[in-house]
Amino acid sequence: MQVKDKIVIITGAGSGIGKATAIHFAKYGATVVVSDINLEKAKEVAAEIVTNGGKSLPIKANVAKFEEVENLIKQTVVDFGKLDVLVNNAGIGPSFLRTHESTLRDWNRVIAVNQTGVYYGMKVALAQFLEQGYGNIVNIASLAGLKASPNNISYSASKFAVVGMTKSAAMEYATKNIRVNAVCPGYTESALLNQLLSAKPEMDAILKSVIPMKRYGKAAEIAEAVVWLASDNTKFITGQTITLDGGTSL
């Protein structure tokens, strides 16, 4: 993977796919800004990267607050002189209710993080990329942003939006040496999946029955795709959604 010496910000990097992605970037020689709303988790991931010979800096940021996203990117540029890659990974899950039973609080909370938070990151990063003449964004969407996902209205809406924003921005900045892509994980071992299975243990067998590979994805497998899209190995790829779902969408 050609990401050596790149400066990379990953939001929601304190656990799950974000943590795995941070570790993978560092393994291939990138400097990783580990951002999370939980600073202690961010520090733990950054420390693990440094212990293993990598370069990392933890920064706290709530992606639902524009000023914190702005500060995250500004601080990164001040400290390292540039920003090569932004991975918009921070996200939260829904309450698994049918649409008419869903709450306004759930809708507003999920949209604020999963959709508006991605917009904030893209807006600020793109301005920086235009100034420096290049850049790369990888958004973490979901299979729920490509196909129907019942009992999931807020999460589904937010992930469909991420796919749309990815494609729109990719077209806008294709001539500016700026690429924007997304990955769409299926059911992956993560805090969100654990949340679902804790609430409804019977879903474990049901979910695996619809996955042709009969297993969940691993965070490290998603991370490999993210690093690949962010690397110089994929210079002619933009506006794409890479689906990693063990065949579920088939």
Side-chain angles (χ1 to χ4, degrees):
M1 301 283 193
Q2 296 177 26
V3 296
K4 184 175 174 57
D5 298 326
K6 291 186 182 294
I7 307 301
V8 180
I9 292 174
I10 305 171
T11 65
S15 61
I17 291 172
K19 176 180 178 179
T21 302
I23 291 170
H24 269 65
F25 267 110
K27 182 176 74 173
Y28 291 112
T31 296
V32 185
V33 175
V34 178
S35 180
D36 201 277
I37 194 171
N38 186 324
L39 182 58
E40 291 308 310
K41 285 188 176 181
K43 286 180 177 179
E44 289 173 6
V45 175
E48 181 177 340
I49 289 171
V50 172
T51 298
N52 287 294
K55 299 177 182 177
S56 186
L57 174 70
I59 299 179
K60 180 180 180 179
N62 177 353
V63 299
K65 296 183 177 181
F66 180 75
E67 63 276 10
E68 294 194 22
V69 175
E70 193 173 37
N71 177 69
L72 166 65
I73 292 174
K74 285 185 175 180
Q75 185 177 337
T76 298
V77 174
V78 167
D79 288 353
F80 299 106
K82 63 173 183 172
L83 173 63
D84 295 291
V85 179
L86 170 66
V87 179
N88 281 310
N89 167 75
I92 56 177
S95 55
F96 305 110
L97 296 172
R98 290 183 295 172
T99 300
H100 78 282
E101 297 172 321
S102 64
T103 66
L104 296 182
R105 178 182 179 277
D106 176 69
W107 173 269
N108 292 330
R109 181 180 65 95
V110 173
I111 295 299
V113 175
N114 294 7
Q115 180 176 336
T116 305
V118 171
Y119 162 69
Y120 288 163
M122 292 176 67
K123 175 179 170 60
V124 181
L126 286 165
Q128 173 62 30
F129 292 160
L130 286 170
E131 182 178 328
Q132 66 189 29
Y134 64 90
N136 195 323
I137 294 174
V138 181
N139 293 323
I140 309 301
S142 171
L143 182 60
L146 299 173
K147 297 177 70 67
S149 183
N151 305 322
N152 224 359
I153 189 68
S154 57
Y155 187 79
S156 181
S158 70
K159 293 304 184 178
F160 265 92
V162 169
V163 170
M165 291 190 291
T166 296
K167 292 179 179 293
S168 294
M171 287 195 70
E172 290 176 24
Y173 301 96
T175 62
K176 303 297 184 182
N177 200 26
I178 298 170
R179 298 191 293 117
V180 187
N181 292 289
V183 297
C184 294
Y187 299 109
T188 305
E189 294 174 356
S190 65
L192 292 182
L193 180 63
N194 291 340
Q195 178 186 346
L196 169 60
L197 297 182
S198 294
K200 298 182 177 181
E202 68 277 9
M203 288 300 294
D204 182 56
I206 294 171
L207 294 179
K208 287 178 179 175
S209 72
V210 301
I211 304 172
M213 288 188 179
K214 303 304 178 188
R215 69 172 178 86
Y216 302 126
K218 298 182 183 301
E221 294 171 325
I222 312 305
E224 285 280 3
V226 176
V227 175
W228 179 70
L229 282 173
S231 75
D232 290 340
N233 302 77
T234 54
K235 287 183 176 180
F236 201 52
I237 298 178
T238 195
Q240 301 304 303
T241 52
I242 307 299
T243 306
L244 300 100
D245 65 355
T248 305
S249 54
L250 299 175

Coordinates of all heavy atoms in Angstrom, one line a residue, residues 12-92:
G12 N -13.7 8.6 14.9 CA -14.2 7.4 15.5 C -13.2 6.3 15.5 O -13.6 5.1 15.4
A13 N -12.0 6.7 15.8 CA -10.9 5.7 15.7 C -10.5 5.0 17.0 O -9.5 4.3 17.1 CB -9.6 6.4 15.1
G14 N -11.3 5.2 18.0 CA -11.0 4.6 19.3 C -11.4 3.2 19.4 O -11.0 2.5 20.4
S15 N -12.2 2.6 18.5 CA -12.6 1.2 18.5 C -13.0 0.8 17.2 O -13.1 1.6 16.2 CB -13.7 1.1 19.5 OG -14.8 1.8 19.1
G16 N -13.3 -0.5 17.0 CA -13.9 -1.1 15.9 C -13.2 -0.9 14.6 O -11.9 -0.9 14.5
I17 N -13.9 -0.5 13.5 CA -13.3 -0.3 12.2 C -12.4 0.8 12.2 O -11.3 0.8 11.5 CB -14.5 -0.1 11.1 CG1 -15.3 -1.4 10.9 CG2 -13.9 0.4 9.8 CD1 -16.5 -1.2 10.1
G18 N -12.7 1.9 12.9 CA -11.8 3.0 13.0 C -10.4 2.7 13.6 O -9.4 3.1 13.1
K19 N -10.4 1.9 14.7 CA -9.2 1.5 15.3 C -8.4 0.6 14.4 O -7.2 0.8 14.2 CB -9.5 0.7 16.6 CG -8.2 0.1 17.3 CD -8.6 -0.6 18.6 CE -7.3 -1.2 19.2 NZ -7.7 -1.9 20.5
A20 N -9.0 -0.4 13.8 CA -8.4 -1.3 12.8 C -7.8 -0.5 11.7 O -6.6 -0.8 11.2 CB -9.3 -2.3 12.3
T21 N -8.5 0.5 11.2 CA -8.0 1.3 10.1 C -6.8 2.1 10.5 O -5.8 2.2 9.7 CB -9.1 2.2 9.5 OG1 -10.2 1.4 9.2 CG2 -8.6 3.0 8.4
A22 N -6.8 2.7 11.7 CA -5.7 3.4 12.2 C -4.4 2.6 12.3 O -3.3 3.0 11.8 CB -6.0 4.0 13.5
I23 N -4.6 1.4 12.8 CA -3.5 0.4 12.9 C -2.9 0.0 11.5 O -1.7 -0.1 11.3 CB -3.9 -0.8 13.7 CG1 -4.1 -0.3 15.2 CG2 -2.8 -1.9 13.7 CD1 -4.7 -1.4 16.1
H24 N -3.8 -0.2 10.6 CA -3.4 -0.6 9.2 C -2.6 0.6 8.5 O -1.6 0.3 7.9 CB -4.6 -1.0 8.4 CG -4.8 -2.5 8.5 ND1 -5.2 -3.1 9.7 CD2 -4.8 -3.5 7.5 CE1 -5.4 -4.4 9.4 NE2 -5.1 -4.6 8.2
F25 N -3.1 1.8 8.6 CA -2.4 2.9 8.0 C -1.0 3.0 8.6 O 0.0 3.2 7.9 CB -3.2 4.2 8.3 CG -4.1 4.6 7.2 CD1 -5.5 4.5 7.4 CD2 -3.6 5.0 6.0 CE1 -6.4 4.9 6.4 CE2 -4.5 5.4 5.0 CZ -5.9 5.3 5.2
A26 N -0.9 2.9 9.9 CA 0.4 3.0 10.6 C 1.3 1.9 10.2 O 2.5 2.1 10.0 CB 0.2 3.0 12.1
K27 N 0.8 0.7 10.0 CA 1.6 -0.4 9.5 C 2.2 -0.2 8.2 O 3.4 -0.6 7.9 CB 0.7 -1.7 9.5 CG 1.5 -3.0 9.1 CD 0.6 -4.2 9.1 CE -0.4 -4.2 7.9 NZ -1.1 -5.5 7.8
Y28 N 1.6 0.6 7.4 CA 2.1 0.9 6.0 C 2.9 2.2 6.0 O 3.2 2.7 4.9 CB 1.0 0.9 5.0 CG 0.4 -0.5 4.8 CD1 -0.9 -0.8 5.2 CD2 1.1 -1.5 4.1 CE1 -1.5 -2.1 4.9 CE2 0.5 -2.8 3.9 CZ -0.7 -3.0 4.3 OH -1.3 -4.3 4.1
G29 N 3.1 2.8 7.1 CA 4.0 3.9 7.2 C 3.4 5.3 7.2 O 4.1 6.3 7.1
A30 N 2.1 5.4 7.4 CA 1.4 6.7 7.5 C 1.5 7.2 8.9 O 1.6 6.4 9.9 CB -0.1 6.5 7.0
T31 N 1.4 8.5 9.0 CA 1.2 9.1 10.4 C -0.3 9.3 10.6 O -1.0 9.9 9.8 CB 1.9 10.5 10.4 OG1 3.3 10.3 10.2 CG2 1.6 11.2 11.7
V32 N -0.8 8.8 11.7 CA -2.2 8.7 11.9 C -2.7 9.6 13.1 O -2.2 9.5 14.2 CB -2.6 7.2 12.2 CG1 -4.2 7.1 12.3 CG2 -2.1 6.3 11.1
V33 N -3.6 10.5 12.8 CA -4.3 11.2 13.8 C -5.5 10.4 14.2 O -6.5 10.3 13.4 CB -4.7 12.6 13.3 CG1 -5.5 13.4 14.4 CG2 -3.5 13.4 12.9
V34 N -5.5 9.9 15.4 CA -6.5 9.1 16.0 C -7.5 10.0 16.7 O -7.2 10.6 17.7 CB -6.0 8.0 16.9 CG1 -7.1 7.2 17.5 CG2 -5.0 7.1 16.3
S35 N -8.7 10.2 16.0 CA -9.7 11.1 16.6 C -10.9 10.3 17.1 O -11.3 9.4 16.5 CB -10.1 12.1 15.6 OG -11.1 13.0 16.1
D36 N -11.4 10.7 18.3 CA -12.6 10.0 18.8 C -13.2 11.0 19.8 O -12.5 11.8 20.4 CB -12.2 8.7 19.5 CG -13.3 7.7 19.7 OD1 -14.1 7.9 20.6 OD2 -13.5 6.9 18.8
I37 N -14.5 10.8 20.1 CA -15.2 11.6 21.1 C -14.7 11.2 22.5 O -14.7 12.0 23.4 CB -16.7 11.4 21.0 CG1 -17.4 12.5 21.8 CG2 -17.2 10.0 21.4 CD1 -18.9 12.5 21.6
N38 N -14.2 10.0 22.6 CA -13.6 9.5 23.8 C -12.1 9.6 23.8 O -11.4 8.8 23.1 CB -14.0 8.0 24.0 CG -13.6 7.4 25.4 OD1 -12.5 7.8 25.9 ND2 -14.4 6.6 26.0
L39 N -11.5 10.6 24.4 CA -10.1 10.9 24.3 C -9.3 9.7 24.8 O -8.2 9.4 24.3 CB -9.8 12.2 25.0 CG -8.3 12.6 24.9 CD1 -7.9 12.8 23.4 CD2 -8.1 13.9 25.6
E40 N -9.7 9.1 25.9 CA -8.9 8.0 26.5 C -8.8 6.9 25.5 O -7.7 6.3 25.4 CB -9.6 7.5 27.8 CG -9.5 8.5 28.9 CD -8.1 9.1 29.2 OE1 -7.2 8.2 29.3 OE2 -7.9 10.3 29.2
K41 N -9.8 6.5 24.8 CA -9.7 5.5 23.8 C -8.8 5.9 22.7 O -8.0 5.1 22.1 CB -11.1 5.1 23.2 CG -12.0 4.3 24.2 CD -13.3 3.8 23.5 CE -14.1 2.9 24.4 NZ -15.3 2.4 23.8
A42 N -8.9 7.1 22.3 CA -8.0 7.6 21.2 C -6.5 7.5 21.6 O -5.7 7.1 20.9 CB -8.4 9.1 20.9
K43 N -6.3 7.9 22.9 CA -4.9 7.8 23.4 C -4.4 6.4 23.4 O -3.2 6.1 23.1 CB -4.9 8.4 24.8 CG -5.0 9.9 24.9 CD -4.9 10.4 26.3 CE -4.9 11.9 26.4 NZ -4.9 12.4 27.8
E44 N -5.3 5.4 23.8 CA -4.9 4.0 23.8 C -4.5 3.5 22.4 O -3.5 2.8 22.3 CB -6.0 3.2 24.4 CG -6.3 3.4 25.9 CD -7.5 2.7 26.4 OE1 -8.1 1.9 25.6 OE2 -7.9 2.9 27.5
V45 N -5.3 3.9 21.4 CA -5.0 3.4 20.1 C -3.7 4.1 19.6 O -2.8 3.4 19.0 CB -6.1 3.8 19.1 CG1 -5.8 3.4 17.7 CG2 -7.4 3.0 19.5
A46 N -3.5 5.4 19.8 CA -2.3 6.1 19.4 C -1.1 5.5 20.1 O 0.0 5.3 19.5 CB -2.4 7.6 19.8
A47 N -1.2 5.2 21.4 CA -0.1 4.6 22.1 C 0.3 3.2 21.6 O 1.4 2.8 21.5 CB -0.5 4.4 23.6
E48 N -0.7 2.4 21.2 CA -0.5 1.1 20.6 C 0.3 1.3 19.3 O 1.2 0.5 19.0 CB -1.8 0.4 20.3 CG -1.7 -1.0 19.7 CD -3.0 -1.7 19.6 OE1 -4.0 -1.4 20.2 OE2 -3.0 -2.7 18.8
I49 N -0.1 2.3 18.5 CA 0.6 2.5 17.2 C 2.1 2.9 17.5 O 3.0 2.3 16.8 CB -0.1 3.6 16.4 CG1 -1.5 3.1 15.9 CG2 0.8 4.1 15.3 CD1 -2.3 4.1 15.3
V50 N 2.3 3.8 18.4 CA 3.6 4.2 18.7 C 4.5 3.1 19.3 O 5.6 2.9 18.9 CB 3.6 5.4 19.7 CG1 5.0 5.8 20.2 CG2 3.0 6.7 19.0
T51 N 3.9 2.3 20.1 CA 4.6 1.1 20.7 C 5.1 0.2 19.7 O 6.1 -0.4 19.8 CB 3.7 0.4 21.7 OG1 3.3 1.3 22.8 CG2 4.4 -0.8 22.3
N52 N 4.3 0.1 18.6 CA 4.7 -0.8 17.5 C 5.5 -0.1 16.4 O 5.6 -0.6 15.3 CB 3.4 -1.4 16.9 CG 2.8 -2.5 17.8 OD1 3.4 -3.5 18.0 ND2 1.6 -2.2 18.3
G53 N 6.1 1.0 16.7 CA 7.0 1.7 15.8 C 6.4 2.7 14.9 O 7.1 3.3 14.0
G54 N 5.1 3.0 15.0 CA 4.4 3.9 14.1 C 4.4 5.3 14.7 O 4.8 5.6 15.8
K55 N 3.7 6.2 13.9 CA 3.6 7.6 14.3 C 2.1 8.0 14.5 O 1.3 7.7 13.6 CB 4.2 8.6 13.3 CG 5.7 8.3 13.1 CD 6.3 9.2 12.1 CE 7.8 9.0 11.8 NZ 8.3 9.8 10.7
S56 N 1.7 8.6 15.6 CA 0.3 8.8 15.8 C 0.1 9.9 16.8 O 1.0 10.2 17.7 CB -0.4 7.6 16.4 OG -1.8 7.7 16.4
L57 N -1.0 10.6 16.7 CA -1.4 11.7 17.6 C -2.9 11.6 17.9 O -3.7 11.5 17.0 CB -1.1 13.1 16.9 CG -1.6 14.3 17.7 CD1 -0.8 14.5 19.0 CD2 -1.6 15.5 16.8
P58 N -3.3 11.5 19.2 CA -4.7 11.5 19.5 C -5.3 12.9 19.6 O -4.7 13.8 20.2 CB -4.7 10.8 20.9 CG -3.4 11.2 21.5 CD -2.4 11.4 20.4
I59 N -6.5 13.1 19.1 CA -7.2 14.4 19.2 C -8.7 14.1 19.5 O -9.3 13.3 18.7 CB -7.0 15.2 18.0 CG1 -5.6 15.6 17.7 CG2 -7.9 16.5 18.1 CD1 -5.4 16.4 16.4
K60 N -9.2 14.7 20.5 CA -10.6 14.5 20.8 C -11.5 15.4 19.8 O -11.2 16.5 19.6 CB -10.9 14.9 22.2 CG -12.4 14.8 22.6 CD -12.7 15.2 24.0 CE -14.1 15.0 24.4 NZ -14.4 15.4 25.8
A61 N -12.6 14.8 19.3 CA -13.5 15.5 18.5 C -14.8 14.9 18.4 O -14.9 13.6 18.2 CB -12.9 15.7 17.0
N62 N -15.9 15.6 18.6 CA -17.3 15.2 18.4 C -17.6 15.7 17.0 O -17.8 16.9 16.8 CB -18.1 15.9 19.5 CG -19.6 15.5 19.3 OD1 -20.0 14.9 18.3 ND2 -20.4 15.9 20.3
V63 N -17.8 14.8 16.1 CA -18.1 15.1 14.7 C -19.4 15.8 14.5 O -19.6 16.5 13.4 CB -17.9 13.9 13.7 CG1 -16.6 13.3 13.8 CG2 -19.0 12.9 14.0
A64 N -20.3 15.8 15.5 CA -21.6 16.5 15.4 C -21.4 18.0 15.7 O -22.4 18.7 15.5 CB -22.6 15.8 16.3
K65 N -20.2 18.4 16.1 CA -20.0 19.8 16.4 C -19.0 20.4 15.4 O -17.8 20.0 15.4 CB -19.5 20.0 17.8 CG -20.5 19.5 18.9 CD -20.0 19.8 20.3 CE -21.1 19.4 21.3 NZ -20.6 19.6 22.7
F66 N -19.5 21.3 14.5 CA -18.6 21.8 13.5 C -17.3 22.4 14.0 O -16.2 22.1 13.4 CB -19.4 22.9 12.7 CG -18.6 23.5 11.5 CD1 -18.3 22.7 10.4 CD2 -18.0 24.7 11.6 CE1 -17.6 23.2 9.3 CE2 -17.2 25.2 10.6 CZ -17.0 24.5 9.4
E67 N -17.3 23.1 15.0 CA -16.1 23.8 15.5 C -15.1 22.7 16.0 O -13.9 23.0 15.8 CB -16.4 24.7 16.7 CG -17.0 24.1 17.9 CD -18.5 23.9 17.9 OE1 -19.1 24.1 16.8 OE2 -19.1 23.6 19.0
E68 N -15.5 21.6 16.4 CA -14.6 20.5 16.8 C -13.9 19.9 15.6 O -12.8 19.5 15.6 CB -15.2 19.5 17.8 CG -15.6 20.1 19.1 CD -16.0 19.1 20.2 OE1 -15.5 17.9 20.0 OE2 -16.7 19.5 21.1
V69 N -14.7 19.7 14.6 CA -14.2 19.1 13.3 C -13.2 20.1 12.7 O -12.1 19.7 12.2 CB -15.3 18.8 12.3 CG1 -14.8 18.3 11.0 CG2 -16.3 17.7 12.9
E70 N -13.6 21.3 12.7 CA -12.7 22.4 12.2 C -11.4 22.4 12.9 O -10.3 22.5 12.3 CB -13.4 23.7 12.3 CG -12.8 24.8 11.5 CD -13.6 26.1 11.5 OE1 -14.2 26.4 12.5 OE2 -13.7 26.8 10.4
N71 N -11.5 22.3 14.3 CA -10.2 22.3 15.1 C -9.4 21.1 14.8 O -8.2 21.2 14.8 CB -10.6 22.4 16.6 CG -9.4 22.4 17.5 OD1 -8.6 23.3 17.5 ND2 -9.2 21.3 18.2
L72 N -10.0 20.0 14.7 CA -9.3 18.7 14.4 C -8.4 18.8 13.1 O -7.3 18.5 13.2 CB -10.3 17.6 14.2 CG -9.8 16.3 13.6 CD1 -8.8 15.6 14.5 CD2 -11.0 15.3 13.3
I73 N -9.0 19.4 12.1 CA -8.3 19.4 10.8 C -7.2 20.6 10.9 O -6.1 20.4 10.4 CB -9.3 19.6 9.7 CG1 -10.1 18.3 9.5 CG2 -8.5 20.0 8.4 CD1 -11.2 18.4 8.5
K74 N -7.6 21.7 11.5 CA -6.7 22.8 11.6 C -5.5 22.4 12.5 O -4.3 22.7 12.1 CB -7.3 24.0 12.2 CG -8.2 24.8 11.2 CD -8.8 26.0 11.8 CE -9.6 26.8 10.8 NZ -10.1 28.1 11.4
Q75 N -5.7 21.7 13.6 CA -4.6 21.3 14.5 C -3.7 20.3 13.7 O -2.5 20.4 13.9 CB -5.2 20.6 15.7 CG -4.1 20.3 16.7 CD -4.6 19.7 18.0 OE1 -5.8 20.0 18.4 NE2 -3.8 18.9 18.7
T76 N -4.3 19.4 13.0 CA -3.5 18.4 12.2 C -2.6 19.2 11.2 O -1.4 18.8 11.1 CB -4.4 17.5 11.5 OG1 -5.2 16.7 12.4 CG2 -3.6 16.5 10.6
V77 N -3.1 20.1 10.5 CA -2.3 20.9 9.5 C -1.2 21.7 10.2 O -0.1 21.8 9.7 CB -3.2 21.8 8.6 CG1 -2.4 22.6 7.7 CG2 -4.2 20.9 7.8
V78 N -1.5 22.3 11.3 CA -0.5 23.0 12.1 C 0.6 22.1 12.5 O 1.8 22.5 12.4 CB -1.2 23.7 13.3 CG1 -0.1 24.3 14.3 CG2 -2.1 24.9 12.8
D79 N 0.3 21.0 13.1 CA 1.3 20.0 13.6 C 2.1 19.4 12.5 O 3.3 19.1 12.7 CB 0.6 19.0 14.5 CG 0.1 19.5 15.8 OD1 0.4 20.7 16.1 OD2 -0.6 18.8 16.5
F80 N 1.5 19.0 11.4 CA 2.2 18.2 10.4 C 2.4 18.9 9.0 O 3.0 18.4 8.1 CB 1.4 16.9 10.1 CG 1.3 16.1 11.4 CD1 0.1 16.0 12.1 CD2 2.4 15.4 11.9 CE1 0.0 15.2 13.2 CE2 2.3 14.6 13.0 CZ 1.1 14.5 13.7
G81 N 1.8 20.1 8.9 CA 2.0 20.9 7.7 C 1.1 20.5 6.5 O 1.2 21.2 5.5
K82 N 0.3 19.5 6.6 CA -0.6 19.1 5.5 C -1.6 18.1 6.0 O -1.5 17.6 7.2 CB 0.3 18.4 4.4 CG 1.0 17.2 4.8 CD 1.7 16.4 3.7 CE 2.3 15.1 4.1 NZ 2.8 14.3 3.0
L83 N -2.5 17.7 5.2 CA -3.4 16.6 5.4 C -3.6 15.9 4.1 O -4.0 16.5 3.1 CB -4.8 17.1 5.9 CG -5.9 16.1 6.0 CD1 -5.5 15.0 7.0 CD2 -7.2 16.7 6.3
D84 N -3.3 14.6 4.1 CA -3.4 13.8 2.8 C -4.7 13.1 2.7 O -5.3 13.0 1.7 CB -2.2 12.8 2.8 CG -0.9 13.4 2.7 OD1 -0.6 14.0 1.6 OD2 -0.1 13.4 3.6
V85 N -5.2 12.5 3.9 CA -6.3 11.7 3.8 C -7.2 11.9 5.0 O -6.8 12.1 6.2 CB -5.9 10.2 3.9 CG1 -7.2 9.3 3.9 CG2 -5.0 9.8 2.7
L86 N -8.5 12.0 4.8 CA -9.5 12.0 5.8 C -10.4 10.8 5.7 O -11.0 10.6 4.6 CB -10.4 13.3 5.8 CG -11.6 13.3 6.7 CD1 -11.2 13.3 8.2 CD2 -12.6 14.5 6.4
V87 N -10.5 10.0 6.8 CA -11.4 8.9 6.8 C -12.6 9.3 7.8 O -12.4 9.4 9.0 CB -10.7 7.6 7.3 CG1 -11.7 6.5 7.3 CG2 -9.6 7.3 6.4
N88 N -13.8 9.5 7.2 CA -15.0 9.8 8.0 C -15.6 8.5 8.4 O -16.4 7.9 7.7 CB -15.9 10.6 7.1 CG -15.6 12.1 7.0 OD1 -15.3 12.7 8.0 ND2 -15.6 12.6 5.8
N89 N -15.2 8.1 9.6 CA -15.6 6.8 10.1 C -16.6 6.9 11.3 O -17.4 6.0 11.5 CB -14.4 6.0 10.6 CG -14.8 4.7 11.4 OD1 -15.2 3.7 10.9 ND2 -14.6 4.8 12.7
A90 N -16.6 7.9 12.0 CA -17.4 8.0 13.2 C -18.9 7.8 12.9 O -19.4 8.4 12.0 CB -17.2 9.4 13.9
G91 N -19.5 7.0 13.7 CA -20.9 6.7 13.4 C -21.6 6.1 14.6 O -20.9 5.5 15.5
I92 N -22.9 6.2 14.7 CA -23.7 5.5 15.7 C -24.8 4.8 15.1 O -25.2 5.1 14.0 CB -24.2 6.5 16.8 CG1 -25.0 7.6 16.1 CG2 -23.0 7.1 17.6 CD1 -25.6 8.6 17.1

